Amino acid sequence: MDLKLPEDLANLSELDEKSLLEVLTGRFTQNLIYTYIGDILVAINPFKYLSIYEKEVSERYKCHEKKSLPPHIFAVADRAYQSMLGRLATGPKNQCIVISGESGAGKTESTKLLLRHIMELCKANSQLEQQILQVNPLLEAFGNAQTVMNDNSSRFGKYIQLRFQNSSVKGAKINEYLLEKSRVVHQDEGEQNFHIFYFMLAGISTEDKEIYGLLDPTRYRYLNGRFGQEHMVQAWRVKYAEVCNAMDMVGFEEQEKVDMMTILAGILSLGNITFETTDSDALKVSEASRGWLKATAGQFGVQEEDLLKSLTCTTSVTRGEAIQRLHNQQQAEDARDSIAKVAYGRVFGWIVSKINELLAPKVDCDVELNEIGILDIFGFENFAVNRFEQLCINLANEQLQYFFNHHIFLMEQKEYKEEGITWETITYKDNKPILDLFLTKPIGILSLLDEQSAFPQATDRDFVDKLNSKFKTAPNFEVVRNHTPLFTIVHYAGKVQYNASGFLEKNRDTIPANIRELFINSVTPLLSVLFAATISRTGTLMPRKAKLQVADDNFNSTRKQSVGAQFKHSLAVLMEKMFAAGPHFVRCIKPNRSKQPDQLDSKLVMDQLRYNGLMETIRIRRDGFSWRPAFKEFAERYNILLLKPDLPLDRSSCMSILNSTELSGWKCGSCRLFFKYWHQEELARLLERLGRAALVIQKNYRARICRRRFLSLLAEIRRQRQAQREREEREEEEERRRQQLEDERKRRLELEQENLRPVPLPRKKKPEPRPRSVLNTLPKAPHLAPVPRPRSKLFEATPFDNELNASLMLQPIDEERMKEKHLKKTNTIRWFKETQVRKLTRDGGFPCWFHGMITRRQAEDLLIDRPLGCFLVRVGQSREGYTLTFRGADRCRHYMVEMQSNGKYVILGEDRAHSSLTDLVQYHTQVGIKPFMELLTLPCGQMCDQEPDYEELRAFTSSSSSEAVERPAEDQDMDTGSHKVHLQMQRLFLPPGGSSNPESHKPPVLKRISDRRRRVEAAPMEHKDDDPTGESRPFPRLYPSIRLAMREIQQIQQHFQQSQDQIQVSSGKALSSWKRTDA
């Protein structure tokens, strides 16, 4: 039987390192990886799958009480969301979740879980939620890589800002920090390049590899000539499909995807270009790599000669005269690698910029949005060789540790002293001196780095010597005596030795002007946009709309800012956002360095607990007061607990409120109140109780008001009916009197005519009077409103519905609403005709499951007697999209199908985009539709085999409809109202280029003309049979050049292989002849 271990370390009776480690180790062995320290969550990476993230678990952590459920990452997401809405202690306020820990501790996975749960909490049946969730796999592919410490290490930092209006998410923004671009051209032993290169080479089909110019992965120098084993390749293939789907879901265009993959292929080809010297000391491309140069030029969309020139020489303009300076071999290789790093960095920056553009909130500028920020930044790193990137990464972690210390220790204990609260000061490890070492002006490490970078002749050794002379007495800096430029910093997490080789060059991050101008004029639009973009103070790429032809001063001025200065400024902006928000902390712990499940290294874990300051955190959470509202803030929030209006916002009111509760353990200062972390939930529970009571009052009040309105409405209906009945009776009485008077007049006239006759005539037989109609003798029944037809046979109308319908019948028709409805329908028809007909038709007709523009009720009636799983697709009547109607077990379900801006089709709430409706239907015959996971089994076809059921679809077979299509324009202008819409629908559902008019009525000349036109239209369609969307497929701009280059590379490789074989054969013959001679 497992021992019950405390879920909150702040409740430990004995607080020492041994008891702390025992609790964490015991919980880890029971697969309880989450533990609280007050309101701070500690998460230990299990390195395996746990079934604690399922849908049912997520549902339990929605608006839950902390004590009722065990610690969980979902609880942190729920707390941040409720705090943002103002449902906890404070009013509505921006929130931020800070996830910290060393590399491999599980920060990236924690970020994904937080995002998923927040999207569940704000679920508003919006496709935006799914788009936000797809951002993470997309950024991981381009920004993560395998390192010796972590198989999925983030090589950049990101701060995700989720924007909310009330409780619904309205947009998102990604802020990225310091991508490790040097990884593109160099990886240490046991490490890999960015994931996307492996995903791409494993997932792209053979035909697409030929299009992009990709060959065997082991040929590429930037991948160290290595690739994965079969099981890894299979996993990468799946990942590539996920990345492509993520791009489709977020909204990337097909041509943009093609251009991006072509640029990535160009980066790989660029790495295989090698140089050799000539007799004139000028460089040339080696014979073996001429094909790679041609391939790179084609993939980048530039001329081969211009690319070679930018690699082998630098052109500068002095006093109007162009001066060329030839590169040596090392400089040419540096220029090659510089192009690769800059190009990849620009692609990554463009992806982030594109995501921000597509996910920007679509609300008015004056609408105030709340925000939840999630910080997932690189963990603390200490490798065998630590470079410029590790210096910046560890600086960011120092800044986060300072933020944690400031909120948990510094600010809290300062307020205790100011407010006169009795308190024993808790000492903690303050890392502000380390931050001063880095950031102080003008003698901080980054300032000195910028100073040395400004001198073209300065070296990395000069920079280290400068550091040694300035900081040799600093307690957090250690001088290293070595011929290699080394120095050591004593960080909060331990000592790290840095190798300064390459520091100055990486900090400058310059692009030669001729390279930038070359790529701005590339025929690949994306590459042109990337190099015409400007860079902000924080290092963010800002693409321009217009294509620039020459370099401008604005770009040069922004690029003069060093990488270190950009990173420093971006950190300052990040800290400003976080200090203005309510923080929530997640401390991730790495259990072992071998990345093995169910293993916990006590020493490693204890080291992380120490340098994170968790012992001191436990003490201050146990004894301290984490929530410290001012009197006014508290009284405004909780004055309702006294149920007294116009309560003054002062200390006495706060005391009255607190005395009415059963809270204990709080303290009162001179200007504010001091509460434990769990007091917020107690007070929130009291407010919730009052809220439920208010709901009951509102419910009954509204029920009374609605009943009163209903009774008055019913009385009005009855009064109108009675008045109508009386009016009809009066009309009947008047009609009866008129009839009697008319009969009397006729009788008198007959008598007079008889008296005037001079001679009596033979008497005629008097006709019998006609019997009165039974209907005339009975009073007419009062006019009753018709009973509305039920929505479908699955539902019944209630008497209340009939009464309401009678009242609606008495109201005048809203003409404006009818016009608006008609306009929407007309716009939908136009959208379908212009963008959808060609995509949907196959072989001159629509798929059997497509039923045109029918109503929801008609769709349900069609499916009522059909088996489970039967479905149809119809056009929306008031929106540009489709609806998939499905026959479920108990009722019909209607799934909205949206067409995104990039032309992809998505079922609302699904996480997969499809290139066509046919693909969507085919996919969901094998994969169920969320949330019920229902499979499409049987299409609901047309009832009649000879002609379509709907008049709009009969244009395929009836000639009358085609005649209506070809009527003169003046006749078409006479159509109005629903008749006009009907004719538009007839014209709409004609197949593209198709006509059912009899050709016999045409003269022979017109027949030949129409046949010729039809052949011209059919020619391009022959190449589209394999394309489900009916659209031409995008290709790289210089695809022919890429194909020629690939053939040349393969020929050179074959020639080289044959030469090697001949050398081996000749050496073998020489060896055998030598043996015979010796014999």
Side-chain angles (χ1 to χ4, degrees):
M1 182 177 177
D2 292 333
L3 181 66
K4 178 68 174 177
L5 296 168
E7 297 177 342
D8 192 339
L9 298 178
N11 296 332
L12 286 176
S13 55
E14 295 182 7
L15 182 58
D16 53 42
E17 292 185 352
K18 181 181 177 181
S19 58
L20 174 61
L21 190 60
E22 284 178 356
V23 171
L24 291 176
T25 304
R27 292 182 62 83
F28 181 75
T29 56
Q30 297 176 21
N31 287 328
L32 302 173
I33 62 172
Y34 294 117
T35 309
Y36 287 131
I37 303 178
D39 53 357
I40 300 166
L41 184 71
V42 177
I44 303 179
N45 191 348
F47 288 118
K48 66 178 181 181
Y49 171 77
L50 296 176
S51 59
I52 58 174
Y53 307 109
E54 305 300 328
K55 179 79 172 176
E56 306 78 44
V57 180
S58 177
E59 289 294 327
R60 291 205 303 269
Y61 280 90
K62 288 183 178 179
C63 303
H64 77 295
E65 293 183 9
K66 180 184 172 185
K67 295 180 181 178
S68 62
L69 291 172
H72 204 289
I73 191 77
F74 291 161
V76 178
D78 182 67
R79 185 179 182 84
Y81 182 72
Q82 305 302 335
S83 299
M84 183 267 298
L85 295 176
R87 294 175 182 170
L88 293 182
T90 60
K93 182 183 179 182
N94 291 347
Q95 305 292 312
C96 70
I97 304 175
V98 183
I99 309 169
S100 58
E102 67 175 57
S103 182
K107 299 183 299 300
T108 300
E109 289 301 316
S110 296
T111 301
K112 289 191 282 189
L113 292 169
L114 286 167
L115 264 180
R116 194 187 94 187
H117 192 65
I118 291 174
M119 291 301 102
E120 285 289 332
L121 289 168
C122 68
K123 198 124 185 145
N125 201 26
S126 166
Q127 197 57 30
L128 179 62
E129 297 147 13
Q130 285 297 334
Q131 289 178 312
I132 291 172
L133 291 177
Q134 293 297 322
V135 167
N136 252 320
L138 181 56
L139 292 180
E140 275 187 33
F142 285 86
N144 288 27
Q146 177 181 315
T147 66
V148 292
M149 298 178 69
N150 188 359
D151 291 342
N152 187 32
S153 177
S154 296
R155 308 318 302 159
F156 74 108
K158 64 176 178 288
Y159 186 62
I160 306 172
Q161 296 172 264
L162 304 174
R163 306 278 174 79
F164 296 86
Q165 184 179 10
N166 299 325
S167 60
S168 299
V169 65
K170 293 298 180 183
K173 183 181 179 183
I174 311 294
N175 300 279
E176 51 100 2
Y177 305 97
L178 195 72
L179 178 72
E180 188 186 27
K181 294 181 290 187
S182 61
R183 181 168 293 271
V184 176
V185 300
H186 174 78
Q187 307 96 45
D188 290 331
E189 187 64 32
E191 300 196 350
Q192 290 183 351
N193 211 318
F194 289 103
H195 290 329
I196 187 60
F197 292 111
Y198 303 95
F199 296 171
M200 180 175 67
L201 289 166
I204 290 181
S205 64
T206 305
E207 295 78 10
D208 286 349
K209 283 183 179 179
E210 183 180 353
I211 291 172
Y212 294 125
L214 292 169
L215 296 176
D216 183 9
T218 57
R219 293 189 180 186
Y220 293 110
R221 192 178 67 86
Y222 283 163
L223 302 182
N224 289 332
R226 295 193 298 267
F227 205 55
Q229 298 179 355
E230 185 57 36
H231 70 281
M232 288 299 301
V233 173
Q234 187 62 34
W236 291 338
R237 193 172 292 124
V238 173
K239 288 287 188 181
Y240 178 74
E242 292 177 0
V243 170
C244 291
N245 180 65
M247 289 188 194
D248 290 339
M249 286 290 295
V250 174
F252 285 76
E253 300 287 344
E254 203 64 34
Q255 185 64 57
E256 292 173 340
K257 289 164 56 181
V258 169
D259 289 349
M260 182 168 55
M261 293 302 174
T262 308
I263 293 172
L264 294 180
I267 291 172
L268 290 177
S269 300
L270 180 66
N272 285 11
I273 299 176
T274 56
F275 305 93
E276 56 186 26
T277 57
T278 61
D279 296 337
S280 60
D281 292 336
L283 287 179
K284 71 172 185 177
V285 174
S286 63
E287 289 298 324
S289 63
R290 287 207 65 84
W292 292 110
L293 176 65
K294 185 177 293 184
T296 305
Q299 288 157 337
F300 284 162
V302 297
Q303 293 295 322
E304 182 181 348
E305 297 78 10
D306 294 338
L307 179 60
L308 177 61
K309 186 177 178 181
S310 66
L311 291 171
T312 56
C313 67
T314 300
T315 303
S316 58
V317 179
T318 304
R319 296 178 182 177
E321 182 180 357
I323 301 175
Q324 281 192 354
R325 182 167 54 86
L326 297 178
H327 290 168
N328 58 34
Q329 188 161 344
Q330 184 61 49
Q331 289 172 330
E333 291 174 355
D334 290 344
R336 174 198 64 198
D337 293 345
S338 174
I339 292 173
K341 289 186 290 185
V342 171
Y344 190 84
R346 293 294 175 95
V347 168
F348 185 80
W350 173 79
I351 290 173
V352 173
S353 174
K354 184 76 176 177
I355 289 172
N356 290 338
E357 176 188 337
L358 293 168
L359 300 186
K362 296 175 177 61
V363 295
D364 296 334
C365 298
D366 55 348
V367 175
E368 186 175 352
L369 299 176
N370 292 325
E371 181 180 297
I372 297 179
I374 303 176
L375 181 66
D376 173 24
I377 208 161
F378 11 60
F380 188 84
E381 293 183 348
N382 188 0
F383 297 141
V385 179
N386 298 287
R387 298 185 173 85
F388 178 70
E389 292 82 7
Q390 278 69 49
L391 181 83
C392 294
I393 287 170
N394 293 339
L395 169 59
N397 280 272
E398 290 284 357
Q399 193 76 268
L400 289 185
Q401 183 66 18
Y402 174 77
F403 177 76
F404 180 81
N405 290 342
H406 183 274
H407 268 278
I408 302 301
F409 298 107
L410 182 65
M411 191 167 61
E412 192 166 322
Q413 298 192 92
K414 181 181 178 182
E415 287 183 355
Y416 296 157
K417 293 180 180 178
E418 291 176 351
E419 296 288 323
I421 302 297
T422 304
W423 178 256
E424 182 181 347
T425 303
I426 296 176
T427 58
Y428 63 96
K429 187 176 181 181
D430 187 7
N431 68 331
K432 192 170 188 309
I434 305 175
L435 286 177
D436 293 340
L437 181 69
F438 276 97
L439 304 176
T440 303
K441 289 184 179 181
I443 55 169
I445 291 177
L446 291 184
S447 296
L448 292 176
L449 180 61
D450 285 348
E451 179 184 306
Q452 292 298 308
S453 299
F455 297 109
Q457 303 302 321
T459 64
D460 298 318
R461 168 56 69 181
D462 297 335
F463 168 62
V464 173
D465 291 342
K466 195 87 171 180
L467 294 182
N468 292 337
S469 64
K470 294 287 185 183
F471 304 122
K472 58 185 176 183
T473 59
N476 298 107
F477 183 89
E478 294 183 2
V479 178
V480 179
R481 304 296 179 186
N482 196 298
H483 65 279
T484 306
L486 303 174
F487 63 95
T488 299
I489 302 292
V490 183
H491 288 281
Y492 78 98
K495 291 183 182 180
V496 179
Q497 186 178 90
Y498 296 98
N499 187 331
S501 300
F503 265 45
L504 297 184
E505 189 60 36
K506 289 178 180 178
N507 189 50
R508 293 180 185 125
D509 194 27
T510 52
I511 310 173
N514 54 342
I515 292 177
R516 180 173 175 268
E517 187 174 352
L518 172 68
F519 286 151
I520 283 179
N521 293 290
S522 166
V523 298
T524 302
L526 179 58
L527 195 65
S528 177
V529 168
L530 296 183
F531 280 84
T534 57
I535 305 295
S536 69
R537 282 189 68 193
T538 57
T540 303
L541 189 80
M542 298 187 299
R544 297 179 177 179
K545 300 297 182 184
K547 180 178 176 181
L548 300 181
Q549 298 298 327
V550 294
D552 60 354
D553 294 335
N554 187 19
F555 178 90
N556 293 330
S557 64
T558 56
R559 292 306 293 140
K560 288 176 183 176
Q561 194 175 31
S562 67
V563 173
Q566 289 174 2
F567 187 61
K568 177 180 175 182
H569 185 71
S570 65
L571 277 181
V573 172
L574 173 64
M575 289 297 116
E576 183 180 349
K577 291 177 183 175
M578 291 170 60
F579 272 108
H584 305 263
F585 296 99
V586 179
R587 301 297 245 178
C588 295
I589 303 293
K590 187 174 183 177
N592 59 76
R593 297 202 183 280
S594 56
K595 299 177 278 191
Q596 296 298 316
D598 302 321
Q599 294 183 14
L600 190 140
D601 184 342
S602 299
K603 183 179 182 305
L604 175 64
V605 171
M606 202 64 242
D607 288 343
Q608 294 174 77
L609 296 177
R610 284 196 192 103
Y611 71 65
N612 281 322
L614 289 190
M615 287 289 295
E616 294 80 5
T617 304
I618 294 170
R619 283 186 59 197
I620 200 166
R621 274 294 174 263
R622 185 179 66 179
D623 303 331
F625 304 91
S626 60
W627 179 40
R628 303 173 294 279
F631 292 148
K632 181 180 178 182
E633 177 188 349
F634 183 83
E636 282 179 343
R637 177 72 175 161
Y638 295 102
N639 59 1
I640 193 172
L641 293 176
L642 286 181
L643 302 178
K644 293 181 180 179
D646 302 326
L647 199 69
L649 307 178
D650 55 11
R651 186 177 188 275
S652 61
S653 298
C654 294
M655 293 297 101
S656 301
I657 294 171
L658 288 170
N659 291 332
S660 68
T661 66
E662 297 179 356
L663 292 183
S664 61
W666 53 270
K667 291 189 177 183
C668 181
S670 58
C671 298
R672 59 182 64 241
L673 297 165
F674 291 81
F675 295 97
K676 301 287 187 180
Y677 60 89
W678 46 268
H679 283 147
Q680 295 186 17
E681 293 187 357
E682 296 290 337
L683 288 166
R685 194 178 299 114
L686 293 175
L687 282 183
E688 187 180 353
R689 176 173 164 271
L690 286 178
R692 286 197 298 268
L695 283 177
V696 173
I697 296 171
Q698 289 177 359
K699 178 187 70 174
N700 287 281
Y701 174 75
R702 288 174 178 173
R704 185 177 180 84
I705 293 297
C706 288
R707 179 163 180 79
R708 187 181 300 168
R709 289 177 181 171
F710 169 72
L711 292 176
S712 63
L713 179 63
L714 203 57
E716 178 65 19
I717 292 172
R718 289 171 178 167
R719 187 190 64 77
Q720 291 181 9
R721 284 182 175 176
Q722 182 64 28
Q724 184 180 1
R725 196 177 295 116
E726 292 174 356
R727 187 168 57 251
E728 290 174 353
E729 289 176 354
R730 284 196 303 270
E731 290 175 356
E732 289 176 1
E733 184 65 28
E734 290 175 0
E735 180 66 25
R736 190 161 53 249
R737 288 177 182 175
R738 263 197 313 270
Q739 187 67 31
Q740 289 175 356
L741 291 174
E742 182 66 23
D743 292 344
E744 184 67 23
R745 189 183 64 81
K746 287 181 179 179
R747 191 175 61 80
R748 288 177 181 176
L749 184 62
E750 289 175 357
L751 289 174
E752 288 176 1
Q753 288 178 351
E754 282 185 12
N755 294 331
L756 291 175
R757 289 175 185 168
V759 179
L761 297 175
R763 189 173 181 178
K764 294 182 179 179
K765 187 177 180 181
K766 186 177 179 180
E768 295 181 2
R770 291 183 181 179
R772 288 190 178 182
S773 173
V774 177
L775 293 175
N776 289 337
T777 59
L778 297 174
K780 289 187 178 180
H783 176 71
L784 295 176
V787 177
R789 180 186 168 203
R791 176 175 289 271
S792 79
K793 297 176 183 178
L794 299 178
F795 300 93
E796 294 182 359
T798 63
F800 179 69
D801 294 332
N802 298 339
E803 297 291 344
L804 287 182
N805 190 64
S807 67
L808 292 176
M809 291 294 293
L810 298 173
Q811 295 177 0
I813 297 174
D814 189 351
E815 294 184 1
E816 289 296 327
R817 191 162 57 87
M818 295 299 293
K819 286 182 180 178
E820 183 181 356
K821 185 177 179 180
H822 174 71
L823 181 61
K824 286 182 178 179
K825 189 171 182 178
T826 306
N827 290 337
T828 304
I829 290 171
R830 185 183 301 112
W831 164 80
F832 186 88
K833 178 180 180 180
E834 294 175 355
T835 66
Q836 301 298 300
V837 173
R838 187 173 294 278
K839 293 183 177 182
L840 201 54
T841 51
R842 292 291 175 273
D843 301 324
F846 292 111
C848 62
W849 39 259
F850 181 68
H851 284 244
M853 187 179 284
I854 63 174
T855 64
R856 176 188 179 115
R857 182 181 300 167
Q858 288 173 320
E860 290 174 348
D861 288 344
L862 282 170
L863 294 177
I864 180 60
D865 298 324
R866 295 303 183 94
L868 179 69
C870 190
F871 70 96
L872 61 84
V873 177
R874 54 194 173 89
V875 182
Q877 292 188 303
S878 60
R879 63 184 181 87
E880 296 178 355
Y882 298 92
T883 300
L884 190 152
T885 303
F886 176 86
R887 179 68 171 93
D890 54 346
R891 59 182 291 264
C892 286
R893 306 191 197 282
H894 303 271
Y895 297 98
M896 293 176 65
V897 180
E898 296 287 347
M899 186 177 134
Q900 300 191 144
S901 58
N902 57 359
K904 305 296 180 180
Y905 298 88
V906 183
I907 293 181
L908 209 62
E910 284 285 323
D911 57 1
R912 186 177 180 87
H914 306 271
S915 58
S916 68
L917 271 181
T918 306
D919 286 350
L920 183 147
V921 169
Q922 185 64 33
Y923 175 78
H924 285 293
T925 58
Q926 302 179 7
V927 180
I929 304 175
K930 296 176 183 177
F932 303 102
M933 302 310 294
E934 295 169 321
L935 290 174
L936 307 180
T937 56
L938 179 67
C940 179
Q942 306 290 312
M943 298 291 187
C944 182
D945 295 334
Q946 287 77 28
E947 62 180 14
D949 292 345
Y950 312 108
E951 292 183 14
E952 300 88 16
L953 300 177
R954 289 177 188 164
F956 291 111
T957 54
S958 74
S959 59
S960 60
S961 61
S962 59
E963 290 172 0
V965 172
E966 298 183 0
R967 285 185 308 155
E970 58 270 16
D971 292 344
Q972 295 182 13
D973 292 339
M974 296 173 65
D975 296 322
T976 57
S978 60
H979 184 56
K980 185 174 181 179
V981 173
H982 168 68
L983 291 176
Q984 285 179 330
M985 290 297 293
Q986 285 186 334
R987 293 194 293 273
L988 165 65
F989 289 106
L990 274 173
S995 174
S996 57
N997 263 352
E999 291 289 329
S1000 58
H1001 297 293
K1002 285 189 177 182
V1005 176
L1006 292 181
K1007 278 187 181 180
R1008 287 195 296 271
I1009 293 173
S1010 62
D1011 290 343
R1012 189 182 304 119
R1013 185 178 68 248
R1014 197 173 294 111
R1015 283 196 299 271
V1016 171
E1017 291 176 353
M1021 294 299 294
E1022 294 177 359
H1023 303 286
K1024 299 181 183 181
D1025 292 339
D1026 298 331
D1027 186 11
T1029 63
E1031 297 175 353
S1032 59
R1033 177 181 176 178
F1035 281 84
R1037 291 300 191 274
L1038 298 182
Y1039 167 59
S1041 300
I1042 297 173
R1043 288 189 62 185
L1044 289 174
M1046 291 298 103
R1047 291 176 184 174
E1048 184 175 335
I1049 292 170
Q1050 291 169 343
Q1051 289 172 359
I1052 293 173
Q1053 186 70 20
Q1054 290 174 359
H1055 178 71
F1056 177 76
Q1057 189 66 37
Q1058 291 172 359
S1059 302
Q1060 291 293 322
D1061 294 342
Q1062 290 175 1
I1063 292 172
Q1064 290 178 1
V1065 171
S1066 60
S1067 62
K1069 289 181 179 179
L1071 181 63
S1072 60
S1073 62
W1074 175 78
K1075 286 183 178 180
R1076 285 195 302 271
T1077 306
D1078 185 59

